[in-house]
């Protein structure tokens, strides 16, 4: 690792066109110690590594030999990357716990499965609306994917079909043939898919309404009459989706 640090240090000095004397002056590191670092005989301690990286305007981890970009990141860039990584890690963990495919979450959230995979791999940053829709589809609290709320593993939801031509009876998943599934749909009067879609739409709508109510209550901006009116709207939404 000393040799790696020594090579990175010399490369940075060459790119920034800075001499050993100038670097010593900028960092306050004695010339004798700097010579040891450049020759690869010794590796500086953390505080001096930080000073060198700052003086050379390079990424401290890169200078230490890690496989990361050489350029320094701003605080905002670091925060953005950290948030993106948190969402990716939590999405992967929760999806695995619930044993859901990208296609399953996509059907429930409306987020394309290609985007879900990119979010999980950390190659694409999700929008706030995408995060909320995914949280609703996963049936987790708002803020869980960003790490603001703790996730308690629950395992797969046994009551929701997750595969084509699948139904759930007494928490048992049964795969029907296309012909059987079609006959069942005809018997029920409307497709199971339509019922699932209406259930998902109702869940999203009521969740958003409840969030607004809670915000208004906390802000003391809602009266008892307004609560009654909102309650009637909630009942009407439920009746329309039956």
């Amino acid at each position: 690792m000393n040799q790696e640090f020594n090579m990175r240090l010399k490369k940075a000095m060459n790119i920034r066109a800075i001499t050993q004397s100038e670097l010593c002056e900028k960092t306050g590191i004695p010339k004798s110690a700097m010579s040891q670092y450049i020759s690869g005989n010794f590796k500086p301690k953390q505080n001096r590594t930080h000073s060198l990286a700052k003086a050379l305007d390079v990424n401290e981890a890169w200078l230490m030999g890690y496989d990361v970009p050489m350029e320094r990141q701003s605080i905002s860039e670091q925060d953005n990357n950290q948030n993106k990584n948190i969402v990716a890690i939590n999405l992967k963990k929760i999806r695995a716990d619930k044993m859901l495919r990208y296609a399953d979450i996509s059907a429930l959230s409306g987020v394309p499965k290609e985007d879900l995979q990119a979010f999980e791999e950390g190659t694409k940053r999700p929008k706030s609306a995408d995060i909320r829709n995914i949280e609703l589809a996963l049936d987790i609290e708002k803020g869980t994917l960003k790490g603001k709320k703790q996730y308690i593993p629950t395992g797969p939801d046994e009551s929701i079909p997750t595969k084509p031509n699948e139904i759930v009876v007494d928490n048992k998943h049964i795969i029907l043939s296309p012909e059987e599934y079609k006959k069942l749909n005809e018997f029920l009067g409307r497709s199971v898919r339509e019922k699932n879609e209406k259930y998902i739409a109702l869940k999203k709508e009521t969740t958003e309404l409840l969030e607004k109510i809670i915000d208004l209550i906390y802000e003391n901006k809602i009266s008892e009459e307004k609560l009654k009116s909102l309650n009637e709207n909630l009942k009407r939404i439920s009746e329309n989706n039956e």
Side-chain angles (χ1 to χ4, degrees):
M1 182 66 80
N2 289 347
Q3 184 66 20
E4 183 70 27
F5 179 90
N6 137 292
M7 292 172 65
R8 294 279 175 97
L9 177 58
K10 288 193 287 188
K11 181 177 181 179
M13 290 173 65
N14 184 52
I15 291 173
R16 303 304 185 209
I18 187 171
T19 66
Q20 181 177 335
S21 297
E22 289 171 335
L23 189 56
C24 288
E25 186 178 345
K26 280 190 171 187
T27 60
I29 297 173
K31 289 184 179 180
S32 58
M34 189 70 75
S35 296
Q36 296 293 333
Y37 303 153
I38 293 173
S39 64
N41 292 329
F42 293 101
K43 180 183 174 184
K45 293 183 179 180
Q46 190 65 40
N47 60 332
R48 286 190 173 180
T49 300
H50 176 76
S51 297
L52 286 166
K54 187 175 181 181
L56 293 166
D57 193 26
V58 297
N59 189 325
E60 189 173 336
W62 175 86
L63 188 60
M64 293 169 66
Y66 291 102
D67 187 17
V68 295
M70 184 188 77
E71 300 300 326
R72 289 174 68 85
Q73 290 183 318
S74 66
I75 298 299
S76 60
E77 287 175 328
Q78 291 173 2
D79 289 343
N80 286 340
N81 286 337
Q82 185 180 20
N83 288 336
K84 182 171 68 175
N85 289 337
I86 288 173
V87 171
I89 291 168
N90 286 335
L91 177 56
K92 184 176 182 179
K93 177 177 67 177
I94 297 169
R95 187 174 70 84
D97 176 60
K98 292 181 175 289
M99 298 177 65
L100 293 172
R101 303 167 301 170
Y102 295 125
D104 301 328
I105 302 174
S106 178
L108 295 169
S109 67
V111 178
K113 58 183 180 181
E114 295 80 10
D115 287 351
L116 289 166
Q117 184 173 357
F119 298 159
E120 190 172 295
E121 293 173 349
T123 57
K124 185 175 182 179
R125 188 179 181 189
K127 298 178 181 178
S128 296
D130 291 331
I131 291 175
R132 188 63 192 126
N133 287 334
I134 294 169
E135 287 174 331
L136 287 169
L138 294 172
D139 196 21
I140 55 178
E141 283 189 88
K142 183 178 181 181
T144 302
L145 285 179
K146 289 185 176 181
K148 296 179 180 179
K149 296 284 186 179
Q150 183 179 7
Y151 172 69
I152 301 174
T154 58
D157 190 338
E158 299 293 339
S159 63
I160 299 177
T162 57
K163 298 178 182 178
N165 301 338
E166 182 180 47
I167 62 172
V168 179
V169 180
D170 293 332
N171 286 335
K172 293 180 180 178
H173 289 240
I174 302 171
I175 304 295
L176 303 177
S177 67
E179 293 77 15
E180 291 172 332
Y181 194 73
K182 183 178 179 181
K183 288 181 180 179
L184 178 63
N185 289 341
E186 292 173 352
F187 176 77
L188 293 174
R190 65 182 182 187
S191 70
V192 174
R193 179 178 294 276
E194 182 183 353
K195 286 188 175 183
N196 284 343
E197 288 174 352
K198 285 186 175 292
Y199 165 75
I200 293 164
L202 173 62
K203 185 176 179 181
K204 286 184 179 180
E205 197 168 350
T206 52
T207 300
E208 290 171 1
L209 182 57
L210 288 171
E211 286 176 353
K212 289 178 182 178
I213 293 171
I214 291 169
D215 289 340
L216 289 171
I217 291 173
Y218 274 116
E219 294 171 7
N220 294 319
K221 292 182 179 179
I222 190 166
S223 64
E224 186 177 349
E225 290 74 19
K226 185 65 175 177
L227 272 173
K228 290 180 180 178
S229 175
L230 288 169
N231 187 45
E232 291 301 319
N233 289 338
L234 191 60
K235 287 182 180 178
R236 190 159 47 251
I237 292 171
S238 179
E239 289 170 357
N240 291 337
N241 281 273
E242 288 180 351

